[in-house]
Amino acid sequence: MEVLLLQDVDQLGQAGEIKRVADGFARNYLFPQELAVLATPGAVRQAEKKRKATVRREAKALSEAQVLAQALDGQVVTFQARAGEGDRLYGSITNANIADALAEKIGQEVDRRKIELEEPLKDLGTHAITIRLAAEATAKVTVVVEREE
């Protein structure tokens, strides 16, 4: 029996592929789990339309991410924070703080989850931060943390 995979199935194939499988495997596993449908001409056309729409959507998202990466690349944001002995901050500068400062600076929203910061900044000084907007779109931003007067 030929089936059209709706989702990726381990050791069988990727979503959108047409595969020949045993009748029992399709009836007892793939169809009840909604992992596949019978490969009719209508289902194949519909899957092809979905695939093309997904490709277009991903291309648009990538181009938007590259434009945002160009706008962000080389930006410098400065924070004033209270610090104690050894230039350690009483609080910390987080991804959300950096995202808000960048959004205010360039006038476009920046997702805080895209900012690669292993742990919040807790020291005074200059920190180089990477923002990974997409697989091929990254930006380098400099964060300066100064002592609050």
Side-chain angles (χ1 to χ4, degrees), residues 53-130:
T54 301
V55 167
R56 282 193 307 268
R57 190 171 42 252
E58 288 173 352
K60 181 181 176 189
L62 178 60
S63 67
E64 290 174 355
Q66 288 173 336
V67 168
L68 181 57
Q70 288 177 347
L72 287 172
D73 205 31
Q75 292 287 335
V76 177
V77 290
T78 304
F79 291 96
Q80 302 287 324
R82 292 180 43 216
E85 296 289 322
D87 292 340
R88 294 284 292 174
L89 300 181
Y90 286 122
S92 62
I93 308 296
T94 64
N95 295 21
N97 300 122
I98 296 169
D100 292 342
L102 287 170
E104 188 176 305
K105 191 162 191 171
I106 66 168
Q108 193 172 358
E109 195 68 30
V110 178
D111 187 359
R112 65 179 173 79
R113 294 170 294 200
K114 304 286 184 179
I115 298 173
E116 292 183 347
L117 193 60
E118 290 182 17
E119 56 186 44
L121 303 177
K122 296 184 181 198
D123 295 315
L124 294 177
T126 304
H127 306 275
I129 306 294
T130 301

Side-chain angles (χ1 to χ4, degrees), residues 26-40:
R27 271 195 316 271
N28 297 325
Y29 179 69
L30 295 175
F31 296 161
Q33 297 290 328
E34 297 180 2
L35 298 174
V37 293
L38 191 59
T40 62

